[in-house]
Amino acid sequence: QLPLAGSRLCLYEDGTELTESYFRALPPQTELVLLGPGQSWRGCATDIERLLAALCSQQDAVVEAARKLLTDERAPRRQKLLADLIHNLSENILAEDKEDDKKWFEGLESRFKNKSSYMQHSCESRMRGYMREVSGFISNVHPAARDAYRAVIDLMADKLKSVKYNGCYFDRREEEEAARLCTVEGWFSCQGPFDRDDCPCKHSINPYSNRESRILFSTWNLDHIIEKKRAVVPELAEAVKTHDGREVNWEYFYQLLFTLDNLKLVHIACHKKTTHNLSCDKTKIYRKRKQNHEIS
């Protein structure tokens, strides 16, 4: 049914066009593609393109077909591929409100009405926990320096409240702020291990996509590069004790404790449990004194 002029015969595998002599040399059962004028075939990549097009245009039908295949499939690798396909195609990333993705909210308190509010709450809870650890360290501070330590804690607490405990990082409506953590509409990528620029495994996750991803994201660690318990908090306590009239640069410690300057999102498999052996920058512990210049 194809016109002879302009038609070509190609290998299915890689799209190589066949000559008559090449055709006669092919082994039995070789898969071929017959192309009409203007058609092209790039091997398996063309099938992948068609598959991706089907995933976008017929998502529900593909999910149903994958489920039917899964019931009869016995090969472990194929089972996993089909299960992952169903999982990914069941994502509802664009839905924000509870009414539009009720399954995402299963197991959560009824007060959460949209995804961002829950993600903000999770972030705020983490930051409040860090603040409690800093406050709880006061028993280890020299008695003469405890008032100064409390004053620093109060300044940090006020700063955290003013930025809503950094929960804006998880508010998809705050695009400019969220971009610091997110790459595309809620995607988060592993930023460890700490001795490399990027995780070699390229872990990534979108906790807004479905309930399973939301739960899995809770296992990721938000970890301090310069360690909170071993380095930052003890250094702060020492700074208020030995300030010798200098003003403690509390904002530097705030950045180390509560911001992305010192916090990295790490997949649990890439989280190094060993000591990081990093310390605070001694030049930033105290504020520089303002110098008064006399005008002659």
Side-chain angles (χ1 to χ4, degrees):
Q1 297 179 5
L2 293 175
L4 184 62
S7 294
R8 291 167 294 122
L9 196 61
C10 299
L11 291 179
Y12 169 82
E13 182 180 10
D14 59 10
T16 301
E17 187 171 344
L18 301 180
T19 62
E20 184 174 351
S21 60
Y22 189 12
F23 174 80
R24 294 182 182 279
L26 293 175
Q29 308 305 320
T30 298
E31 293 184 82
L32 307 175
V33 177
L34 181 61
L35 300 174
Q39 293 182 321
S40 62
W41 184 262
R42 295 188 296 115
C44 300
T46 301
D47 262 354
I48 294 174
E49 288 176 353
R50 292 182 174 181
L51 172 62
L52 292 175
L55 296 183
C56 295
S57 61
Q58 304 179 46
Q59 182 170 314
D60 293 340
V62 173
V63 169
E64 184 60 30
R67 285 199 175 110
K68 289 180 180 178
L69 288 172
L70 190 58
T71 58
D72 298 326
E73 187 57 64
R74 292 295 178 265
R77 284 182 135 183
R78 291 183 181 180
Q79 283 181 332
K80 186 177 186 309
L81 283 172
L82 288 169
D84 288 347
L85 177 65
I86 294 170
H87 170 79
N88 291 328
L89 289 182
S90 299
E91 292 180 342
N92 196 358
I93 295 173
L94 296 181
E96 169 69 7
D97 297 329
K98 189 173 185 177
E99 296 77 26
D100 299 324
D101 194 355
K102 292 182 179 179
K103 189 174 181 179
W104 193 93
F105 293 84
E106 289 179 4
L108 300 182
E109 297 178 34
S110 59
R111 62 191 174 102
F112 298 115
K113 304 302 181 183
N114 55 61
K115 295 179 180 179
S116 291
S117 65
Y118 173 74
M119 296 299 294
Q120 288 175 37
H121 167 75
S122 297
C123 183
E124 290 173 14
S125 297
R126 183 75 63 95
M127 296 299 123
R128 290 177 189 271
Y130 294 161
M131 191 73 247
R132 284 193 296 270
E133 289 184 56
V134 179
S135 300
F137 194 80
I138 196 167
S139 60
N140 300 305
V141 178
H142 191 278
R146 287 177 182 174
D147 287 342
Y149 188 84
R150 287 192 187 94
V152 169
I153 291 175
D154 291 342
L155 290 169
M156 289 183 175
D158 290 341
K159 175 71 173 178
L160 275 176
K161 290 176 183 177
S162 70
V163 295
K164 299 179 181 178
Y165 293 88
N166 289 331
C168 60
Y169 289 141
F170 293 94
D171 187 343
R172 293 190 292 178
R173 292 165 295 186
E174 298 283 350
E175 294 181 5
E176 184 176 349
E177 288 294 327
R180 296 185 64 195
L181 263 183
C182 306
T183 52
V184 180
E185 193 61 56
W187 281 100
F188 295 83
S189 298
C190 180
Q191 299 173 323
F194 298 133
D195 57 352
R196 304 185 185 183
D197 293 332
D198 296 295
C199 172
C201 299
K202 303 297 181 185
H203 299 291
S204 62
I205 192 171
N206 191 328
Y208 295 92
S209 61
N210 51 41
R211 180 174 178 268
E212 291 76 14
S213 293
R214 188 251 302 166
I215 294 172
L216 184 60
F217 185 67
S218 66
T219 68
W220 285 43
N221 295 302
L222 193 60
D223 199 28
H224 293 84
I225 302 174
I226 302 175
E227 294 171 282
K228 176 178 76 273
K229 292 182 179 179
R230 292 189 178 101
V232 181
V233 178
E235 189 70 63
L236 173 60
E238 183 65 20
V240 297
K241 174 187 172 184
T242 60
H243 64 91
D244 191 24
R246 294 170 293 180
E247 183 182 357
V248 175
N249 186 6
W250 67 269
E251 290 179 317
Y252 170 63
F253 289 98
Y254 175 90
Q255 290 172 346
L256 294 181
L257 290 166
F258 305 110
T259 76
L260 295 179
D261 289 349
N262 191 45
L263 282 167
K264 296 297 181 183
L265 192 62
V266 186
H267 186 276
I268 190 170
C270 297
H271 187 184
K272 289 191 173 183
K273 300 294 185 180
T274 57
T275 303
H276 299 166
N277 292 320
L278 298 172
S279 58
C280 301
D281 186 342
K282 300 293 185 182
T283 67
K284 297 181 180 180
I285 291 176
Y286 298 102
R287 294 185 189 276
K288 293 182 179 180
R289 292 178 176 176
K290 294 181 179 180
Q291 296 181 357
N292 295 321
H293 299 280
E294 292 184 1
I295 300 176
S296 58

